[in-house]
């Protein structure tokens, strides 16, 4: 509890200092709004490694953010926030480089470190249809396939950035950002970067939205692409779709701190998705392709290092890093949603590689399969409190490094509050 207590004290001190009054009587920060979240979770991991004991992680995430009007200027606001993850002394799991054991075997990994950090330290200025931002905050773009905060993990990522967003042209939104650092998910110091994010979206109508982007991640690659999305209503049937293509090329941006030079990238990506809601019955099909390499064809695997990876390719998190041979994920989903009864969703994934990879004495493209199931519902009697049950069951493939099953199970409560 020490880190949570220290963080709360620090935030209180910051709030007090910002709410002070200058000599001419102008508040530095007023009209304060407090937003918060408390999210306790149990996670079990069985990685079917004979050298590991099953992980049983009990953690809780606490987020607090204070936002207020800065210096009495219309449209000018400042936010300060903290995030703290505590495991209450539970060491039946490992994260980063920890080495906890049950006495004979090392526990499996759950990437929820006991840690705390400043999650928000930002100034925003809204003038007309333009928003200017500077500082630390959360950045989630589109479906978070390329840029996200990994909000599923307890120690959510924050980005240090400067950006301008504008929607002065009807139905068109534009964002241009420079990201100079990020921190979170894993325990550790801020990672320096020199990344440029460009995103533009034009909504033709409910049935068609066109999004173009170019994400230039320093010393890694440039990812530029186009996504078409929309919703189609037909009586009791509501359809939604996504058709997207992207490619990766050599990085335009560099940061010399890590010594990387002459980085090459040449990869392709596409994603086709069709979903339906038929009077509360949910169904969908999806096909996602991330190209790979034979390591002798001058190609590279398509990677998404700043994505919210848990949302994609199975909740067992077997493919947070794209295999060298690439990844093809063909999946179907079925479920329901109903007021008072919550939401139930099941997904079946079939995984294969774009290029064959080493598999024992031979080669194969079999990367296994997975079944995922999640149930969420509001907890009666408590506003803004939701519960979650979630299960992931990965079945091994034939490719080396993917020859062990993986099971994960979660129980979670999520309480959010605000003084708005």
């Amino acid at each position: 509890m020490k880190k949570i207590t220290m963080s709360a004290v620090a935030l209180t001190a910051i709030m007090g200092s910002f709410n002070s009054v200058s000599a001419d009587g102008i508040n530095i920060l007023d009209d304060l709004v407090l937003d918060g979240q408390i999210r306790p979770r149990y996670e079990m991991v069985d990685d079917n490694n004979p050298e590991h004991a099953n992980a049983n992680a009990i953690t809780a995430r606490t987020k607090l953010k204070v936002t207020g009007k800065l210096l009495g200027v219309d449209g000018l606001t400042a936010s300060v926030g903290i995030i703290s993850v505590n495991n209450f002394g539970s060491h039946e799991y490992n994260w980063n480089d920890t080495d906890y054991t049950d006495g004979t075997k090392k526990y499996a990994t759950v990437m929820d470190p006991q840690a705390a950090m400043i999650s928000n330290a930002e100034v925003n200025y809204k003038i007309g249809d333009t928003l200017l931002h500077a500082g630390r905050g959360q950045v989630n773009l589109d479906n978070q396939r390329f840029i996200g905060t990994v909000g599923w993990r307890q120690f959510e990522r924050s980005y240090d950035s400067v950006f301008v967003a504008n929607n002065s042209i009807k139905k068109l939104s534009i964002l241009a950002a420079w990201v100079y650092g990020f921190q979170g998910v894993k325990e550790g110091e801020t990672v320096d970067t020199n990344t440029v994010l460009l995103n533009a979206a034009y909504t033709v109508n409910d049935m068609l939205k066109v999004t173009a982007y170019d994400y230039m991640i320093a010393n890694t690659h440039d990812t530029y692409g186009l996504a078409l999305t929309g919703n189609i209503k037909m009586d009791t049937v509501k359809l939604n779709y996504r058709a997207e293509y992207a490619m990766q090329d050599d990085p335009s941006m560099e940061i010399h701190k890590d010594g990387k030079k002459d980085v090459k990238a040449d990869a392709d990506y596409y994603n086709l998705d069709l979903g339906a809601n038929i009077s509360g019955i949910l169904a969908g099909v999806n096909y996602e392709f991330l190209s790979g390499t034979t390591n002798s064809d001058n190609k590279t695997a398509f990677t998404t290092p700043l994505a919210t990876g848990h949302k994609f390719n199975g909740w067992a998190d077997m493919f947070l890093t794209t295999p060298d041979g690439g990844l093809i994920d063909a999946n179907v989903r079925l479920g329901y949603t109903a007021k008072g009864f919550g939401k139930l969703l099941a997904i079946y994934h079939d995984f294969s590689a774009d290029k064959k990879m080493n598999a024992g004495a031979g080669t194969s493209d079999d990367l296994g399969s997975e079944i995922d199931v999640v149930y969420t519902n509001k907890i009666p009697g408590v506003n803004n409190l939701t519960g979650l049950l979630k299960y992931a069951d990965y079945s091994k493939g034939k490719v080396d490094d993917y020859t062990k099953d993986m099971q994960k199970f979660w129980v979670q409560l999520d309480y959010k509050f605000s003084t708005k």
Side-chain angles (χ1 to χ4, degrees):
M1 294 296 291
K2 182 178 180 181
K3 289 186 177 180
I4 292 179
T5 302
M6 291 178 64
S7 298
V9 170
L11 185 64
T12 302
I14 292 170
M15 288 172 58
S17 64
F18 277 163
N19 205 36
S20 62
V21 181
S22 64
D24 58 6
I26 298 177
N27 284 342
I28 296 175
L29 193 66
D30 56 14
D31 296 336
L32 299 181
V33 174
L34 174 65
D35 295 299
Q37 179 189 39
I38 301 172
R39 194 173 77 174
R41 174 193 289 170
Y42 165 76
E43 179 171 348
M44 185 282 297
V45 175
D46 179 0
D47 63 7
N48 287 279
N49 186 330
E51 298 181 357
H52 291 170
N54 289 357
N56 293 280
I58 298 174
T59 60
R61 174 166 89 182
T62 303
K63 291 176 64 179
L64 296 172
K65 183 176 75 169
V66 175
T67 302
K69 188 175 182 179
L70 184 60
L71 300 175
V73 178
D74 288 341
L76 184 63
T77 62
S79 297
V80 179
I82 60 166
I83 183 170
S84 179
V85 180
N86 199 285
N87 62 21
F88 310 102
S90 171
H91 292 148
E92 292 186 23
Y93 73 104
N94 282 290
W95 68 90
N96 284 40
D97 298 320
T98 59
D99 198 25
Y100 294 112
T101 74
D102 66 354
T104 58
K105 296 179 180 180
K106 185 175 179 178
Y107 287 113
T109 298
V110 174
M111 194 47 68
D112 287 329
Q114 175 159 288
M117 71 175 187
I118 298 295
S119 59
N120 295 80
E122 58 188 300
V123 175
N124 294 286
Y125 183 45
K126 182 74 161 48
I127 177 170
D129 295 320
T130 301
L131 174 66
L132 304 175
H133 162 94
R136 170 168 290 199
Q138 288 67 54
V139 180
N140 289 304
L141 296 182
D142 297 332
N143 62 351
Q144 302 180 46
R145 189 60 182 104
F146 301 109
I147 307 296
T149 61
V150 199
W152 167 252
R153 294 265 51 109
Q154 296 284 60
F155 200 43
E156 184 178 17
R157 180 189 295 147
S158 292
Y159 290 93
D160 301 325
S161 67
V162 176
F163 71 70
V164 57
N166 178 271
N167 61 353
S168 58
I169 299 176
K170 188 177 180 181
K171 298 184 178 182
L172 177 65
S173 60
I174 300 172
L175 179 140
W178 173 54
V179 179
Y180 55 91
F182 56 87
Q183 184 180 12
V185 184
K186 296 182 178 181
E187 185 178 20
E189 300 299 321
T190 299
V191 177
D192 292 332
T193 186
N194 181 31
T195 291
V196 172
L197 309 176
L198 303 175
N199 182 287
Y202 182 74
T203 302
V204 178
N205 50 44
D206 290 342
M207 293 187 292
L208 178 60
K209 179 180 180 180
V210 182
T211 303
Y213 50 84
D214 186 359
Y215 304 138
M216 294 170 270
I217 302 177
N219 291 6
T220 304
H221 48 55
D222 289 4
T223 300
Y224 44 97
L226 187 72
L228 308 179
T229 58
N231 299 285
I232 304 171
K233 295 181 180 180
M234 300 182 299
D235 295 328
T236 60
V237 179
K238 299 177 182 178
L239 300 178
N240 59 82
Y241 70 90
R242 185 178 192 91
E244 182 172 13
Y245 175 77
M247 61 180 67
Q248 289 181 340
D249 206 344
D250 301 349
S252 300
M253 307 301 293
E254 293 184 352
I255 182 169
H256 300 290
K257 180 179 177 181
D258 59 12
K260 292 182 180 179
K261 294 181 179 180
D262 300 322
V263 177
K264 299 297 181 183
D266 185 359
D268 296 282
Y269 168 89
Y270 58 86
N271 182 17
L272 301 173
D273 186 275
L274 178 63
N277 183 332
I278 308 171
S279 299
I281 302 300
L282 307 175
V285 294
N286 175 262
Y287 187 87
E288 188 179 40
F289 173 89
L290 296 84
S291 69
T293 176
T294 62
N295 293 316
S296 61
D297 55 5
N298 294 320
K299 300 287 186 178
T300 55
F302 192 97
T303 61
T304 59
L306 295 181
T308 297
H310 181 79
K311 287 186 62 179
F312 306 90
N313 312 131
W315 300 329
D317 288 341
M318 295 298 296
F319 302 102
L320 295 180
T321 301
T322 308
D324 285 348
L327 176 64
I328 300 172
D329 178 4
N331 59 83
V332 295
R333 57 189 183 271
L334 183 65
Y336 78 85
T337 181
K339 187 176 181 179
F341 293 94
K343 180 179 179 180
L344 176 67
L345 186 66
I347 308 173
Y348 173 76
H349 299 263
D350 182 76
F351 301 115
S352 59
D354 172 36
K355 303 289 193 302
K356 287 190 175 183
M357 303 169 63
N358 292 335
T363 61
S364 175
D365 62 0
D366 184 358
L367 290 172
S369 61
E370 183 169 328
I371 296 174
D372 297 323
V373 182
V374 64
Y375 174 74
T376 60
N377 201 358
K378 295 179 180 179
I379 303 299
V382 182
N383 292 333
N384 305 316
L385 177 64
T386 59
L388 173 145
L389 299 172
K390 189 171 177 177
Y391 178 69
D393 188 352
Y394 171 79
S395 297
K396 63 185 179 182
K398 296 179 181 178
V399 173
D400 292 350
D401 298 327
Y402 298 92
T403 57
K404 291 184 175 64
D405 296 342
M406 174 81 79
Q407 290 83 39
K408 296 186 178 183
F409 175 68
W410 299 268
V411 180
Q412 176 182 283
L413 293 174
D414 189 355
Y415 177 64
K416 295 178 180 179
F417 57 93
S418 177
T419 60
K420 289 181 181 178

